[in-house]
Amino acid sequence: MNKVQLGSSDLQVTSVCLGTMTFGEQVNETTAHAILDRSLQRGVNFLDTAEMYAVPARAETFGATETIIGNWLAKNPGARQQLVLATKVAGPSRGMPWVREGSGMTAQDIVNSCEASLKRLQTETIDLYQIHWPERHVPAFGTLYYDPSKEKSATSIHEQLDALGGLVKAGKVRAIGLSNETPYGVHEFVRLAEQHGLPRVATVQNPYCLINRTVENGLDETMHRLGVSLLAYSPLGFGLLTGKYDVSGTEGPDAPKGARISGYESVRKQRWGRPEALVAARRYNALARAHGLTPTQLALAFCYTKWQVASTIIGVTSVAQLDEDLDAYGTTLSAEVLAEIDRIRWEARDPAL
């Protein structure tokens, strides 16, 4: 598997990253450790988590994913040196008062969250520390428009960068990144870093898949010109692009028992639960089958091969799913298939934005 450099940092990661938000909710610790073992065996050196995981977020499972990973690292002392470990500080509370008190995200919040993540992960350094969502009020998680009247920002980007810079200087963080960010946010973080001699963001982790290509609506040019790498999350559209919802009667709340979307009420109300997203996903899935591919192969090959993507984050609930996703690496899409993908997008646009 190819390795890529993340932005202007010295981090070299595989083109596929193991996402872990299911650990501690859908996936118990024993299975999670088996997935981590297998991922490392297959050469994946990039691991992504967050302080707020497991998902769906609950007070009882806050920090559970990092704890599970920390326990695995403690059992496998040689693994830490082989891995690029990424985690995230949660942005302002989105109905999660257990993350922190208040609605903002202060510089001290960033420092405190980092310290807590280091403890749970049982490591001395986080390789890539990301802001999970902006402190500003921006369109995200299914919100379509920016509304200035809802802006409640209390901590400037400069203050956030200053806090992150202190963590880098202390050796607790190697590189920094953003997530669920806008072109404005990326530009401002880079501009202020260069102006004040602070760490430059290496990455942005945003959704990117066949039913959500909003990255290509200007953010891709921003990242390309500023030398910031894209980490694509939800490449399978929260399961819609695997084909498991293609049978009539598996929409939304009626999804098969055990399927990820069936247990996520908030998700069904957001982008992945929109009827238009399922309709578009079924068109892509049919395209895959018509060309001798599984829906999973088509969706992952799309992300794995796009110039915009540095590393694709895959989330799994079993070793078998992990193997299926990794086996799709190396799949190429013909010019005919790519043209048909663009034709469907022209008609369906980005229903899961």
Side-chain angles (χ1 to χ4, degrees):
M1 189 176 297
N2 292 334
K3 286 187 179 180
V4 295
Q5 179 178 336
L6 295 183
S8 57
S9 75
D10 62 356
L11 302 179
Q12 296 281 334
V13 304
T14 45
S15 299
V16 179
C17 171
L18 179 62
T20 60
M21 75 176 191
T22 59
F23 295 2
E25 184 66 47
Q26 286 181 281
V27 180
N28 63 33
E29 185 157 352
T30 299
T31 302
H33 287 188
I35 291 169
L36 290 164
D37 288 340
R38 182 64 172 161
S39 179
L40 192 60
Q41 289 168 3
R42 294 207 53 175
V44 175
N45 82 333
F46 194 14
L47 189 62
D48 179 72
T49 188
E51 68 169 337
M52 65 158 281
Y53 293 168
V55 172
R58 297 185 296 124
E60 295 81 5
T61 59
F62 172 67
T65 304
E66 288 185 330
T67 299
I68 288 171
I69 293 170
N71 291 340
W72 178 75
L73 290 172
K75 289 198 311 182
N76 298 272
R80 182 66 187 92
Q81 288 67 44
Q82 301 177 59
L83 291 172
V84 174
L85 181 59
T87 192
K88 313 178 198 75
V89 51
S93 177
R94 288 176 170 266
M96 295 180 289
W98 55 84
V99 175
R100 67 175 64 93
E101 294 182 4
S103 59
M105 182 185 66
T106 67
Q108 191 60 52
D109 288 332
I110 294 173
V111 173
N112 292 346
S113 288
C114 182
E115 296 282 2
S117 287
L118 286 167
K119 185 176 181 179
R120 285 189 292 265
L121 290 165
Q122 300 188 51
T123 188
E124 295 181 355
T125 305
I126 294 165
D127 297 308
L128 179 65
Y129 197 49
Q130 306 153 96
I131 295 176
H132 206 153
W133 54 88
E135 189 270 352
R136 314 178 318 281
H137 181 83
V138 301
F141 307 110
T143 303
L144 297 181
Y145 305 113
Y146 173 67
D147 184 351
S149 69
K150 294 182 179 179
E151 188 61 78
K152 297 179 180 179
S153 177
T155 306
S156 69
I157 290 176
H158 186 191
E159 290 177 79
Q160 296 169 54
L161 267 175
D162 217 24
L164 292 167
L167 293 170
V168 172
K169 188 174 181 179
K172 296 176 181 179
V173 169
R174 290 177 62 193
I176 65 169
L178 307 171
S179 186
N180 299 296
E181 193 48 277
T182 67
Y184 164 79
V186 179
H187 270 282
E188 193 67 357
F189 268 93
V190 171
R191 182 186 73 83
L192 289 168
E194 293 178 343
Q195 180 179 342
H196 297 283
L198 293 166
R200 208 175 188 279
V201 293
T203 59
V204 175
Q205 183 179 146
N206 273 26
Y208 185 66
C209 62
L210 291 170
I211 54 176
N212 184 341
R213 293 171 60 178
T214 51
V215 162
E216 295 174 321
N217 297 341
L219 182 59
D220 56 351
E221 181 187 6
T222 292
M223 298 177 72
H224 171 68
R225 294 191 183 279
L226 296 179
V228 178
S229 296
L230 174 65
L231 307 180
Y233 78 77
S234 291
L236 294 174
F238 222 81
L240 272 66
L241 294 166
T242 65
K244 64 184 176 183
Y245 303 113
D246 286 3
V247 179
S248 179
T250 58
E251 297 88 347
D254 299 319
K257 184 178 181 181
R260 205 192 315 180
I261 202 169
S262 65
Y264 289 58
E265 183 179 357
S266 62
V267 167
R268 291 201 303 272
K269 294 178 180 178
Q270 295 178 1
R271 51 196 176 199
W272 310 117
R274 292 181 182 139
E276 298 87 352
L278 180 59
V279 169
R282 286 174 171 171
R283 293 184 65 183
Y284 289 115
N285 297 342
L287 174 65
R289 297 184 182 104
H291 288 268
L293 299 168
T294 67
T296 295
Q297 285 175 321
L298 177 73
L300 290 179
F302 175 78
C303 285
Y304 289 165
T305 57
K306 290 289 283 186
W307 70 261
Q308 288 93 339
V309 179
S311 190
T312 301
I313 302 172
I314 57 171
V316 302
T317 57
S318 68
V319 172
Q321 283 186 355
L322 173 67
D323 282 333
E324 180 185 8
D325 290 358
L326 293 179
D327 288 345
Y329 188 79
T331 300
T332 57
L333 303 179
S334 68
E336 179 186 359
V337 170
L338 291 171
E340 186 64 17
I341 285 172
D342 282 344
R343 187 181 73 80
I344 294 173
R345 192 212 180 189
W346 182 255
E347 296 170 359
R349 300 296 167 151
D350 297 306
L353 58 78

